[in-house]
PDB file of all heavy atoms in Angstrom:
ATOM      1  N   ARG A 108     -12.292  -1.477  -4.854  1.00  0.00           N
ATOM      2  CA  ARG A 108     -12.505  -2.086  -6.176  1.00  0.00           C
ATOM      3  C   ARG A 108     -12.638  -3.626  -6.237  1.00  0.00           C
ATOM      4  O   ARG A 108     -13.225  -4.147  -7.095  1.00  0.00           O
ATOM      5  CB  ARG A 108     -11.547  -1.497  -7.138  1.00  0.00           C
ATOM      6  CG  ARG A 108     -10.124  -2.095  -7.002  1.00  0.00           C
ATOM      7  CD  ARG A 108      -9.120  -1.220  -7.977  1.00  0.00           C
ATOM      8  NE  ARG A 108      -7.854  -1.821  -8.003  1.00  0.00           N
ATOM      9  CZ  ARG A 108      -6.845  -1.591  -7.157  1.00  0.00           C
ATOM     10  NH1 ARG A 108      -7.098  -0.877  -6.036  1.00  0.00           N
ATOM     11  NH2 ARG A 108      -5.723  -2.186  -7.219  1.00  0.00           N
ATOM     12  N   TRP A 109     -11.968  -4.177  -5.255  1.00  0.00           N
ATOM     13  CA  TRP A 109     -11.913  -5.669  -5.198  1.00  0.00           C
ATOM     14  C   TRP A 109     -12.972  -6.154  -4.193  1.00  0.00           C
ATOM     15  O   TRP A 109     -13.175  -7.370  -4.070  1.00  0.00           O
ATOM     16  CB  TRP A 109     -10.553  -6.169  -4.839  1.00  0.00           C
ATOM     17  CG  TRP A 109      -9.523  -5.856  -5.865  1.00  0.00           C
ATOM     18  CD1 TRP A 109      -9.690  -5.754  -7.166  1.00  0.00           C
ATOM     19  CD2 TRP A 109      -8.035  -5.705  -5.532  1.00  0.00           C
ATOM     20  NE1 TRP A 109      -8.514  -5.404  -7.859  1.00  0.00           N
ATOM     21  CE2 TRP A 109      -7.494  -5.412  -6.935  1.00  0.00           C
ATOM     22  CE3 TRP A 109      -7.286  -5.660  -4.461  1.00  0.00           C
ATOM     23  CZ2 TRP A 109      -6.108  -5.205  -7.037  1.00  0.00           C
ATOM     24  CZ3 TRP A 109      -5.886  -5.510  -4.612  1.00  0.00           C
ATOM     25  CH2 TRP A 109      -5.302  -5.207  -5.878  1.00  0.00           C
ATOM     26  N   LEU A 110     -13.521  -5.263  -3.424  1.00  0.00           N
ATOM     27  CA  LEU A 110     -14.561  -5.647  -2.431  1.00  0.00           C
ATOM     28  C   LEU A 110     -15.899  -5.285  -2.845  1.00  0.00           C
ATOM     29  O   LEU A 110     -16.881  -5.096  -1.995  1.00  0.00           O
ATOM     30  CB  LEU A 110     -14.223  -4.935  -1.070  1.00  0.00           C
ATOM     31  CG  LEU A 110     -12.998  -5.385  -0.264  1.00  0.00           C
ATOM     32  CD1 LEU A 110     -12.671  -4.342   0.756  1.00  0.00           C
ATOM     33  CD2 LEU A 110     -13.195  -6.833   0.217  1.00  0.00           C
ATOM     34  N   GLY A 111     -16.162  -5.238  -4.166  1.00  0.00           N
ATOM     35  CA  GLY A 111     -17.496  -5.049  -4.631  1.00  0.00           C
ATOM     36  C   GLY A 111     -17.970  -3.700  -4.413  1.00  0.00           C
ATOM     37  O   GLY A 111     -19.118  -3.404  -4.286  1.00  0.00           O
ATOM     38  N   GLY A 112     -17.056  -2.708  -4.375  1.00  0.00           N
ATOM     39  CA  GLY A 112     -17.372  -1.314  -4.228  1.00  0.00           C
ATOM     40  C   GLY A 112     -17.669  -0.833  -2.886  1.00  0.00           C
ATOM     41  O   GLY A 112     -18.144   0.320  -2.645  1.00  0.00           O
ATOM     42  N   ARG A 113     -17.333  -1.615  -1.781  1.00  0.00           N
ATOM     43  CA  ARG A 113     -17.492  -1.176  -0.428  1.00  0.00           C
ATOM     44  C   ARG A 113     -16.581  -0.011  -0.130  1.00  0.00           C
ATOM     45  O   ARG A 113     -15.432   0.016  -0.576  1.00  0.00           O
ATOM     46  CB  ARG A 113     -17.215  -2.358   0.538  1.00  0.00           C
ATOM     47  CG  ARG A 113     -18.116  -3.508   0.297  1.00  0.00           C
ATOM     48  CD  ARG A 113     -17.828  -4.618   1.348  1.00  0.00           C
ATOM     49  NE  ARG A 113     -18.502  -5.831   0.975  1.00  0.00           N
ATOM     50  CZ  ARG A 113     -18.764  -6.841   1.851  1.00  0.00           C
ATOM     51  NH1 ARG A 113     -18.438  -6.639   3.068  1.00  0.00           N
ATOM     52  NH2 ARG A 113     -19.410  -7.915   1.433  1.00  0.00           N
ATOM     53  N   THR A 114     -17.117   1.012   0.587  1.00  0.00           N
ATOM     54  CA  THR A 114     -16.387   2.199   0.790  1.00  0.00           C
ATOM     55  C   THR A 114     -15.933   2.341   2.304  1.00  0.00           C
ATOM     56  O   THR A 114     -15.146   3.229   2.564  1.00  0.00           O
ATOM     57  CB  THR A 114     -17.236   3.443   0.450  1.00  0.00           C
ATOM     58  OG1 THR A 114     -18.383   3.449   1.215  1.00  0.00           O
ATOM     59  CG2 THR A 114     -17.554   3.408  -1.027  1.00  0.00           C
ATOM     60  N   ARG A 115     -16.336   1.498   3.091  1.00  0.00           N
ATOM     61  CA  ARG A 115     -15.906   1.559   4.535  1.00  0.00           C
ATOM     62  C   ARG A 115     -14.571   0.792   4.649  1.00  0.00           C
ATOM     63  O   ARG A 115     -14.451  -0.305   5.163  1.00  0.00           O
ATOM     64  CB  ARG A 115     -16.958   0.947   5.497  1.00  0.00           C
ATOM     65  CG  ARG A 115     -18.248   1.746   5.569  1.00  0.00           C
ATOM     66  CD  ARG A 115     -19.204   1.028   6.525  1.00  0.00           C
ATOM     67  NE  ARG A 115     -18.757   0.874   7.804  1.00  0.00           N
ATOM     68  CZ  ARG A 115     -19.147  -0.024   8.694  1.00  0.00           C
ATOM     69  NH1 ARG A 115     -20.027  -0.994   8.310  1.00  0.00           N
ATOM     70  NH2 ARG A 115     -18.592  -0.065   9.942  1.00  0.00           N
ATOM     71  N   VAL A 116     -13.512   1.458   4.127  1.00  0.00           N
ATOM     72  CA  VAL A 116     -12.206   0.924   4.035  1.00  0.00           C
ATOM     73  C   VAL A 116     -11.195   1.862   4.685  1.00  0.00           C
ATOM     74  O   VAL A 116     -11.195   3.067   4.412  1.00  0.00           O
ATOM     75  CB  VAL A 116     -11.804   0.574   2.582  1.00  0.00           C
ATOM     76  CG1 VAL A 116     -10.396   0.053   2.583  1.00  0.00           C
ATOM     77  CG2 VAL A 116     -12.822  -0.378   1.971  1.00  0.00           C
ATOM     78  N   VAL A 117     -10.256   1.280   5.477  1.00  0.00           N
ATOM     79  CA  VAL A 117      -9.167   2.036   6.060  1.00  0.00           C
ATOM     80  C   VAL A 117      -7.914   1.417   5.667  1.00  0.00           C
ATOM     81  O   VAL A 117      -7.683   0.268   5.692  1.00  0.00           O
ATOM     82  CB  VAL A 117      -9.273   2.093   7.601  1.00  0.00           C
ATOM     83  CG1 VAL A 117      -8.045   2.655   8.281  1.00  0.00           C
ATOM     84  CG2 VAL A 117     -10.534   2.820   8.070  1.00  0.00           C
ATOM     85  N   ARG A 118      -6.912   2.250   5.184  1.00  0.00           N
ATOM     86  CA  ARG A 118      -5.550   1.857   4.931  1.00  0.00           C
ATOM     87  C   ARG A 118      -4.752   2.006   6.172  1.00  0.00           C
ATOM     88  O   ARG A 118      -4.738   3.112   6.744  1.00  0.00           O
ATOM     89  CB  ARG A 118      -4.959   2.498   3.726  1.00  0.00           C
ATOM     90  CG  ARG A 118      -5.380   2.064   2.406  1.00  0.00           C
ATOM     91  CD  ARG A 118      -4.619   2.721   1.256  1.00  0.00           C
ATOM     92  NE  ARG A 118      -3.238   2.185   1.268  1.00  0.00           N
ATOM     93  CZ  ARG A 118      -2.239   2.740   0.607  1.00  0.00           C
ATOM     94  NH1 ARG A 118      -2.439   3.864  -0.178  1.00  0.00           N
ATOM     95  NH2 ARG A 118      -1.046   2.226   0.706  1.00  0.00           N
ATOM     96  N   ALA A 119      -4.062   1.086   6.569  1.00  0.00           N
ATOM     97  CA  ALA A 119      -3.164   1.106   7.838  1.00  0.00           C
ATOM     98  C   ALA A 119      -1.773   0.704   7.499  1.00  0.00           C
ATOM     99  O   ALA A 119      -1.545  -0.290   6.788  1.00  0.00           O
ATOM    100  CB  ALA A 119      -3.767   0.229   8.895  1.00  0.00           C
TER     101      ALA A 119
END
Side-chain angles (χ1 to χ4, degrees):
R108 69 189 188 278
W109 295 332
L110 288 170
R113 301 186 192 199
T114 57
R115 292 178 62 205
V116 178
V117 173
R118 284 189 66 192

